[in-house]
Amino acid sequence: MKALLRTAAVRTVPDLWHTIRQAFARFHKTVSDDTGHDHRVLQRQAVVIARSDVAAAYAAKAMLCEACGVVDWRMRADTCEVAELNRQAA
């Protein structure tokens, strides 16, 4: 039985790599200057590995919280943008 499970696991590992994606996450915060104009400031950017865009956003937000030592990522940024990286670009 164990050998059968190992064989099944080995067959599914290459299939798993096709579902894993690299995503580029960027965090911006909108700040006002002394004349009252708003500007989007890049707070942090990171490459994350996840199975979906939603999972990538969740992982990126967790990384931001850990790096900045905050509980909620919105304390450091207003927006989180996630874009899937092309396999050739990565």
Side-chain angles (χ1 to χ4, degrees), residues 1 6 12 18 20-21 27 31 36 38-39 45-46 48 50-51 65 67 69 71 75 81-82 88:
M1 186 67 171
R6 273 189 233 144
T12 60
H18 294 291
I20 294 177
R21 298 177 176 95
F27 293 92
V31 296
D38 290 340
H39 302 279
Q45 57 189 12
V48 294
R51 291 185 183 202
C65 289
V71 178
M75 296 176 76
E81 300 170 353
V82 177
Q88 296 170 347

Side-chain angles (χ1 to χ4, degrees), residues 6-45:
R6 273 189 233 144
T7 305
V10 170
R11 285 187 209 150
T12 60
V13 169
D15 296 333
L16 180 64
W17 285 109
H18 294 291
T19 62
I20 294 177
R21 298 177 176 95
Q22 287 187 337
F24 186 67
R26 296 173 59 140
F27 293 92
H28 289 93
K29 185 157 187 85
T30 303
V31 296
S32 297
D33 61 12
D34 55 350
T35 62
H37 294 92
D38 290 340
H39 302 279
R40 289 183 66 212
V41 179
L42 179 65
Q43 296 296 96
R44 186 172 289 267
Q45 57 189 12

